[in-house]
Amino acid sequence: MQQENSVEKKLKEKIREVFDGFELVIGYSQSKIPLKVNPLFIKGKEEIDGLIFNKLCINNLATYSYALSNELKGKIGIVLKPCDARSVSQLISEELLNKDRVKSIVVGCAGILDYKKIYKEIGGLKIISADIKDEQIIIDTIDESFTLEAKNFYAGKCYSCKIYDNPPYYDEFIENESKLNIEQENEYEDVEKFEKLNLEEINAFWDLQFGKCIRCYACRNICPLEICRDKCIAQLDVPHWQSQKINSAEGKFFQLIRVFHLAGRCTECGECERVCPANIQIMKLMKKVNKDVLKLFNYRPGYNLDEKPPLLTFKNVEKNIKEEELI
Amino acid sequence: MENISETNKDINNKDINTNSRKNGVKIVAFLCNWCSYAGADSAGTSRLRQPEDIRIIRVPCSGRINPLFVLKALTQGADGVLVSGCHPNDCHYSDGNFYARRRLEILKEFLPVIGIDERRFSYQWVSASEGQKWQKVVINFVKRIREIQG
Amino acid sequence: MKTLTYIKKENLNTFLEELNKDYDVFLPVQNRENGTINFESLDTVNDNNVVNLKEKTRKSPKSLFFPPTENLFEFEYIKDIKTPDIMEIKLSESEEMIPDKINSRKNIIFGIKPCDVMALKCLDLVFGEGEKKDSRYVMKRANTIIISIGCNNIFPDCFCTSVGGNPFYFDHSDLGLIDMGPDLVIFKSSEKDDIRELLDKSHKFFEEREINSDEEIKIKKIISDSEVKCRSNNESVNAEDIVLDMENKFNDEEMWKNITRKCISCAACTYVCPTCVCFNIGDEQSGMKGERYKCWDFCTNYYYTLEASGHNPRENIYQRYRNKINCKYNYFYKRNKNLYCVGCGRCIDVCPVGMDIREIVKHVRSSQK
C-alpha cells in the first residue's frame, strides 16, 4: 500500500542490530483490512522485513508485555510509540515487569490516525480500499470515493500530546524526521465539558451507552495494565460481585470495577475505547479519574519510574484533600 | 460541646424521627471496628437518639473499604452510604485510614460523572469516645439523604 | 416469458410500515452517531437511526432467536411461621417464556444476508432438532418469516464461498430478493401458507412484470459477478480435507502457539458470530426470591473449562483458540455434516488485534508437521 518510509528503515536497521540478544521482538505489520495494522511477533531475523511503522499503527503493543514476560525466559523487545512506552514504564514502577527482561524500542511519532473517526465521517460505509498520501486519506467504498484531510482524523490523545519526540521512558529511541504537527488542545477539556451536564442528562447518556454493552471483555483484555484478565472478579460466582447477565446495569458496573482497578494507573492509551465493538465512550471515565489524580496528588502515570503510584502510598497531611464536615 | 438534652430536643422533632419501615431511607454505614463502631456503640449506651435508617456493617479498618463496596451499594438500591474510621494518625493499624482517605476522596469526586449524586456518599472520622459526634453525623446525613429523595 | 414480482425502492418504506401493522418487523438499522448497523425493530427508525440494507450488521441476527440474556423461570422460597422446619419452593414461568407471549404476533426479519440464513440452518441443527431441542427456539423460528436480500457487493472480510456458501443462497429463506438498482425483484418465494398470506396482503406494493432475456441476463450477471469476486478474494476450503487437517495438526503445539500469539481471549468474535451458541446458566437470588437465567458464554474465556478442583485443561490462549477453530471446522462437521462457519467475516471485522480466521485455517492446512 505504501512505500517504506525513512523511520521504518531506521527501525528495521536498529532491530537487526540488536536482534541477537532477544528471544522475541513485537512490532507492527501490514493487514488485509483497510486502515488497520496487525501485531507481528518476530522470532527469526528473516521476519524483520515484514515490519512497518506508519500513521496507522494505533495498537498498543505493551498489552502483550506481561503475559509474554511470564511465558518466555529470554529478553523481549517491543516496538512502542512514546504514549505506549508510558504503559511499560507504569508496569515497571509497579514491579510487574522486570526492566532487564522487557526492552522498549521507542519510535518518535508523527501522530496516529483513528480509523473509527474515519468510519464515522464516511457514514460507516464499508471500506473497499484506503490509501494515505502526504496529508490526505483517499477511501473507496461501494458507492463513492472520499478524500479526507488527515489532520482532522488523528486519535484524540494526539491532540494533547507533548511527548511525541521526547518519550519519558525508552531503552532505544529512534528519531522520526516527520513530527506531529496538529493544533494542540487542552488535555481534559472533553471531561470538563461532560462534568457540567446535570445528573439526569448524565444518567440518560450512560443508559444509552451501556445498553449496547455485550460484556465481551475486549476492553479489559486489551488493557496493558489489566494483568488480571484471566482472574477477574467480574466473572466469579463467589464472591458474587456481578451477575453474568448481559444488560445495561451489569455493563455499567463492570466499567466501574475497571475504573477503580485502574485509578492512578491508566496511561490513557485509549485502546479500550478503540476495541469496543459497541463503540461505548469508556475513556470519559478513565480520564476523569486521571484528572482527579493529577489534581489531588500531582501524579501522571507512566512518566517517572521512581515515583510510587499515589494509591499505593500516603501522606500524613494531604494538602489537596478537603474533607467534608457533616456536623 | 453541646448539651445532650438540647440535641435530644432536636430529635423529638418529627422530621428526624420516622418509622424507617414506612417512609425511611436505606443507608448503609461501614464502620471501623476500633474507633467508629465503638463510638456508635457509646452513642447507644448514652441513649443518644438517632434516626433508624442506618444499617451498620463492621469492618476491621476503614482501609478495608474497597470503593466498589460503596458503588455496589449505591447501584443496587441504597439511598446513601456512610464510611467512618479512626482519625488520621490514630488508626489502630497505623496507616489504614491514610490509604482510605486517598481512595475515598477519588471515589467522591468520581460519583457525579457516573450519574450518582455525590451527596449520597460521605466519609467521616469518628473516634471511640465521640458518641455525640456520631449522633450528629447520623442526623445530618439522614436529613441530607431525605432531602435528596424528596 | 417469465413473470417476476418487483418492489420499487421508493415504495419500500411504506411497504415495511404497512407490514409493521400486522407483524413485528426487524431490519438492519444504522446509528448515524457511530455508524454501526444492527438488527432493530422498525419502530426505532428515526432521523438518527436509518435503514441500511447494503452492508453486513455488526452483531448477527442470532440474538432474535437466542437472546444474550433470558430468564428461564422464577423461584420463591416460602416459609410458614407455624411450620418453621418446612420450606416450600414456588416456581413460576418468566414472562418471556410464555408461549402465548412469544406467538402473539408473527415476526419478519427483513434484509438478512444469505450467510446469516445459512447460520440459522446451523442453529436449527443445535437447538431445533433431536431430543434436546429448545422448545422456545422452535416456537420463535416457526413464528418468523425470513426475507433475505442477496449480496451485490463483496467486502474484504467476506468469504462465504470458501465454506460452501453463496452470496445469493436463498434455500432457507422464505423470500429471496435481489437489488436491481431502482427496485428489488423477488427471485425466490416459498410456497408456505403464511408467505402466500403476506404476499396477498401486500400485492398493492408489487408489480408483476414479464421479463425479457436481457433482464434475465442482467440478473444472472449480478449473481455470478458477486460469486466470482468472492471466490477470487478467498481460497476454497474442502470440508472433508479441513477436518482431516485439523485432526492431524491438533498436537502441533508450536504451530498453534505461533498463530494465536496475538489473541487476547476476549469474547468479541464469539458474540458477533452468527453460529456460536455456547451459553451459561446461573441463579440470581435476592432474599427469598430469585430467577434462573441463561446468558451467552465464550470458549476463549479462562473460566470456561476451569474445574472445581482448580485444574484448568485449557489454561493457555492457544489451547482455547485451538478448541474454537476445531469446534467450527472439525467437531461440528463430524456430528452434523455441516461446517460451523458461514464465512460472514464479522469476527475479522471486530477483532481488536486483527486475528483472521482465513489465515489460521490456511496455516493449519499448509503447515508441515
Side-chain angles (χ1 to χ4, degrees):
Chain A
M1 178 173 96
Q2 288 163 261
Q3 285 178 327
E4 193 188 60
N5 55 46
S6 66
V7 75
E8 231 175 73
K9 247 200 258 181
K10 279 202 257 180
L11 175 65
K12 287 188 199 176
E13 271 166 29
K14 173 58 85 173
I15 294 187
R16 278 194 200 104
E17 195 187 302
V18 299
F19 192 75
D20 288 323
F22 288 108
E23 188 175 342
L24 180 74
V25 172
I26 314 175
Y28 299 99
S29 71
Q30 202 96 286
S31 164
K32 253 188 180 174
I33 310 296
L35 295 181
K36 291 195 183 176
V37 297
N38 281 346
L40 177 68
F41 294 84
I42 304 174
K43 284 194 128 173
K45 265 199 161 139
E46 64 284 356
E47 301 172 50
I48 297 181
D49 278 320
L51 267 181
I52 61 169
F53 192 87
N54 57 33
K55 289 207 162 98
L56 296 176
C57 294
I58 192 171
N59 306 37
N60 181 351
L61 297 176
T63 170
Y64 300 109
S65 55
Y66 182 76
L68 278 180
S69 75
N70 283 342
E71 183 192 326
L72 302 174
K73 305 271 181 315
K75 279 209 279 198
I76 303 169
I78 314 184
V79 172
L80 296 163
K81 308 187 287 289
C83 46
D84 302 340
R86 283 176 66 186
S87 308
V88 173
S89 160
Q90 178 70 16
L91 281 168
I92 292 177
S93 76
E94 290 177 4
E95 296 176 27
L96 291 168
L97 274 187
N98 189 335
K99 201 169 180 307
D100 302 314
R101 293 266 324 276
V102 176
K103 296 292 181 187
S104 311
I105 305 167
V106 182
V107 184
C109 182
I112 295 294
L113 294 173
D114 185 353
Y115 59 80
K116 280 195 166 177
K117 275 190 184 169
I118 298 175
Y119 287 173
K120 185 173 162 182
E121 175 72 16
I122 63 174
L125 304 172
K126 251 328 205 315
I127 300 178
I128 309 276
S129 72
D131 202 4
I132 304 183
K133 275 197 175 60
D134 304 321
E135 287 293 310
Q136 296 198 314
I137 314 170
I138 303 151
I139 297 182
D140 288 316
T141 69
I142 16 173
D143 288 326
E144 41 187 312
S145 286
F146 296 83
T147 308
L148 305 170
E149 290 290 323
K151 69 177 191 307
N152 297 328
F153 296 96
Y154 283 93
K157 56 181 175 172
C158 294
Y159 291 98
S160 50
C161 179
K162 299 190 172 39
I163 53 174
Y164 53 87
D165 62 355
N166 60 330
Y169 174 76
Y170 60 89
D171 287 306
E172 304 278 354
F173 179 51
I174 303 192
E175 219 177 301
N176 192 345
E177 278 141 25
S178 43
K179 308 276 180 202
L180 180 66
N181 186 9
I182 48 179
E183 223 173 278
Q184 292 280 303
E185 278 171 11
N186 187 355
E187 226 178 336
Y188 293 116
E189 195 175 311
D190 52 342
V191 178
E192 282 162 15
K193 237 198 274 177
F194 187 69
E195 278 179 285
K196 294 205 170 81
L197 301 173
N198 68 39
L199 283 180
E200 271 150 29
E201 288 172 325
I202 290 182
N203 268 318
F205 175 78
W206 289 122
D207 277 340
L208 199 65
Q209 294 281 312
F210 285 118
K212 307 183 277 177
C213 174
I214 54 174
R215 292 282 284 286
C216 66
Y217 301 118
C219 50
R220 173 194 76 191
N221 287 19
I222 198 81
C223 177
L225 294 159
E226 297 258 42
I227 52 159
C228 52
R229 53 187 82 152
D230 280 342
K231 296 166 177 52
C232 183
I233 60 172
Q235 294 184 275
L236 292 177
D237 214 27
V238 174
H240 195 76
W241 280 101
Q242 274 206 274
S243 151
Q244 297 306 305
K245 289 193 192 185
I246 300 176
N247 56 35
S248 171
E250 300 294 334
K252 190 174 181 182
F253 193 75
F254 177 66
Q255 277 311 312
L256 294 176
I257 294 180
R258 281 196 69 231
V259 163
F260 282 95
H261 187 207
L262 292 170
R265 305 169 63 217
C266 168
T267 55
E268 291 177 32
C269 64
E271 286 285 88
C272 48
E273 200 171 276
R274 171 182 78 89
V275 304
C276 179
N279 296 333
I280 300 177
Q281 296 177 26
I282 310 172
M283 279 308 285
K284 282 198 166 60
L285 300 173
M286 301 299 170
K287 280 170 111 169
K288 162 69 178 164
V289 177
N290 275 354
K291 173 166 135 335
D292 288 339
V293 166
L294 183 63
K295 177 180 85 173
L296 293 172
F297 310 117
N298 201 17
Y299 177 80
R300 277 181 208 276
Y303 274 77
N304 194 340
L305 261 192
D306 304 317
E307 223 180 325
K308 227 179 164 184
L311 291 179
L312 294 184
T313 180
F314 61 87
K315 281 210 174 82
N316 272 332
V317 177
E318 300 278 4
K319 276 189 297 192
N320 296 326
I321 295 185
K322 310 238 173 330
E323 297 170 35
E324 79 167 338
E325 293 283 320
L326 261 187
I327 49 171
Chain B
M1 268 261 279
E2 258 195 47
N3 201 325
I4 294 181
S5 54
E6 290 211 9
T7 336
N8 269 346
K9 252 197 244 155
D10 270 336
I11 298 173
N12 284 328
N13 184 344
K14 278 232 162 72
D15 283 336
I16 298 169
N17 218 0
T18 61
N19 182 349
S20 66
R21 259 176 236 164
K22 252 203 248 167
N23 49 1
V25 291
K26 285 194 194 125
I27 299 180
V28 180
F30 293 94
L31 301 185
C32 94
N33 178 50
W34 302 99
C35 287
S36 300
Y37 193 75
D41 195 49
S42 92
T45 51
S46 322
R47 315 290 186 139
L48 301 172
R49 296 187 62 194
Q50 309 144 46
E52 299 147 8
D53 308 65
I54 296 228
R55 296 140 202 243
I56 294 177
I57 298 177
R58 180 174 67 118
V59 293
C61 176
S62 50
R64 173 69 181 89
I65 306 295
N66 186 339
L68 290 172
F69 292 170
V70 176
L71 284 168
K72 191 164 157 82
L74 286 169
T75 54
Q76 296 213 341
D79 298 313
V81 176
L82 189 60
V83 172
S84 178
C86 312
H87 285 271
N89 277 309
D90 288 340
C91 179
H92 182 84
Y93 302 99
S94 339
D95 46 28
N97 54 6
F98 290 138
Y99 291 108
R101 179 168 54 183
R102 286 199 164 194
R103 281 177 215 145
L104 299 176
E105 185 62 29
I106 298 264
L107 171 64
K108 193 158 165 77
E109 307 241 350
F110 179 73
L111 287 174
V113 165
I114 201 66
I116 301 175
D117 194 332
E118 52 97 33
R119 295 173 294 168
R120 289 183 187 272
F121 168 65
S122 180
Y123 64 97
Q124 298 293 316
W125 314 118
V126 172
S127 82
S129 56
E130 291 178 323
Q132 285 208 313
K133 180 172 177 189
W134 174 248
Q135 181 198 34
K136 288 231 173 73
V137 161
V138 171
I139 293 175
N140 290 333
F141 192 65
V142 172
K143 194 151 83 175
R144 185 162 96 179
I145 299 290
R146 292 220 185 110
E147 267 165 27
I148 302 174
Q149 293 293 98
Chain C
M1 282 274 219
K2 242 167 119 173
T3 344
L4 287 177
T5 319
Y6 283 72
I7 310 172
K8 283 215 177 83
K9 273 207 189 140
E10 56 201 36
N11 291 337
L12 193 61
N13 283 339
T14 9
F15 170 51
L16 292 171
E17 272 167 41
E18 187 68 29
L19 283 180
N20 204 23
K21 293 187 186 152
D22 301 312
Y23 303 84
D24 281 327
V25 179
F26 293 92
L27 71 180
V29 174
Q30 179 169 34
N31 179 311
R32 276 246 158 88
E33 260 265 334
N34 53 38
T36 36
I37 313 176
N38 281 318
F39 273 95
E40 310 273 2
S41 156
L42 186 61
D43 300 324
T44 62
V45 172
N46 57 27
D47 287 331
N48 259 332
N49 296 315
V50 295
V51 176
N52 183 330
L53 297 172
K54 288 198 192 150
E55 300 174 33
K56 267 191 303 236
T57 54
R58 179 37 78 80
K59 294 196 278 196
S60 65
K62 75 177 173 188
S63 44
L64 298 167
F65 302 100
F66 172 53
T69 302
E70 63 182 343
N71 279 352
L72 298 175
F73 57 81
E74 285 154 20
F75 54 87
E76 190 178 344
Y77 291 103
I78 304 179
K79 269 184 128 161
D80 190 353
I81 203 162
K82 298 189 208 108
T83 49
D85 50 344
I86 299 178
M87 179 134 80
E88 262 179 58
I89 303 182
K90 181 175 108 174
L91 298 174
S92 55
E93 206 164 25
S94 293
E95 213 184 299
E96 42 197 316
M97 293 277 131
I98 299 175
D100 284 340
K101 188 123 197 304
I102 298 177
N103 291 330
S104 58
R105 266 171 46 119
K106 263 197 168 329
N107 291 340
I108 295 183
I109 305 185
F110 186 87
I112 188 173
K113 299 239 168 268
C115 48
D116 290 333
V117 180
M118 245 178 60
L120 283 183
K121 174 172 141 210
C122 291
L123 289 188
D124 287 343
L125 291 168
V126 173
F127 289 129
E129 298 184 1
E131 287 176 359
K132 296 193 189 132
K133 63 169 168 265
D134 183 339
S135 59
R136 299 305 187 271
Y137 174 88
V138 170
M139 259 186 243
K140 286 181 190 165
R141 276 291 266 136
N143 199 38
T144 308
I145 295 176
I146 301 189
I147 304 183
S148 166
I149 300 188
C151 303
N152 294 28
N153 299 295
I154 304 295
F155 298 106
D157 46 26
C158 289
F159 61 104
C160 60
T161 47
S162 297
V163 286
N166 190 306
F168 287 90
Y169 176 84
F170 288 138
D171 280 4
H172 278 69
S173 319
D174 294 316
L175 283 180
L177 308 176
I178 299 186
D179 186 345
M180 299 298 294
D183 28 41
L184 300 162
V185 63
I186 300 184
F187 190 69
K188 179 244 166 163
S189 166
S190 121
E191 297 295 315
K192 290 196 281 198
D193 289 331
D194 45 4
I195 310 301
R196 287 176 168 269
E197 196 187 315
L198 188 154
L199 291 175
D200 286 335
K201 268 193 211 170
S202 340
H203 71 270
K204 63 178 184 235
F205 297 101
F206 299 158
E207 222 179 82
E208 299 276 332
R209 291 186 209 161
E210 273 190 13
I211 53 162
N212 54 20
S213 58
D214 279 344
E215 184 76 356
E216 265 197 85
I217 291 177
K218 194 168 161 205
I219 296 179
K220 286 214 170 88
K221 185 163 192 306
I222 292 180
I223 296 179
S224 72
D225 277 351
S226 286
E227 203 176 326
V228 163
K229 178 113 198 283
C230 195
R231 279 194 203 282
S232 70
N233 280 353
N234 302 294
E235 281 178 26
S236 213
V237 168
N238 175 299
E240 302 276 334
D241 287 344
I242 192 65
V243 169
L244 219 58
D245 277 324
M246 288 283 168
E247 273 301 315
N248 291 338
K249 314 276 173 69
F250 190 88
N251 287 316
D252 189 354
E253 300 199 340
E254 269 311 306
M255 174 199 74
W256 282 108
K257 276 190 192 157
N258 282 336
I259 57 183
T260 57
R261 259 194 214 285
K262 287 190 295 204
C263 176
I264 55 172
S265 75
C266 68
C269 56
T270 308
Y271 285 177
V272 300
C273 172
T275 54
C276 276
V277 289
C278 285
F279 62 86
N280 198 5
I281 294 189
D283 284 345
E284 275 299 304
Q285 188 175 340
S286 159
M288 300 288 260
K289 290 199 194 157
E291 58 207 9
R292 178 160 293 179
Y293 62 86
K294 179 171 108 170
C295 66
W296 285 354
D297 199 2
F298 53 113
C299 59
T300 37
N301 184 7
Y302 177 82
Y303 287 114
Y304 190 73
T305 44
L306 181 64
E307 296 169 7
S309 62
H311 170 63
N312 190 347
R314 294 191 198 130
E315 220 176 352
N316 299 310
I317 294 181
Y318 80 89
Q319 292 164 312
R320 304 195 283 265
Y321 201 84
R322 176 177 63 182
N323 170 69
K324 190 172 150 69
I325 299 290
N326 272 281
C327 183
K328 292 196 162 316
Y329 286 92
N330 184 357
Y331 309 147
F332 199 77
Y333 188 81
K334 285 189 180 141
R335 277 204 293 269
N336 298 309
K337 281 285 175 276
N338 217 326
L339 281 182
Y340 210 44
C341 173
V342 296
C344 68
R346 287 190 174 92
C347 50
I348 305 172
D349 176 40
V350 88
C351 179
V353 294
M355 293 289 278
D356 191 331
I357 198 170
R358 299 171 289 190
E359 299 286 324
I360 306 268
V361 169
K362 192 159 135 187
H363 226 276
V364 169
R365 286 169 67 198
S366 59
S367 86
Q368 302 301 319
K369 206 166 174 192

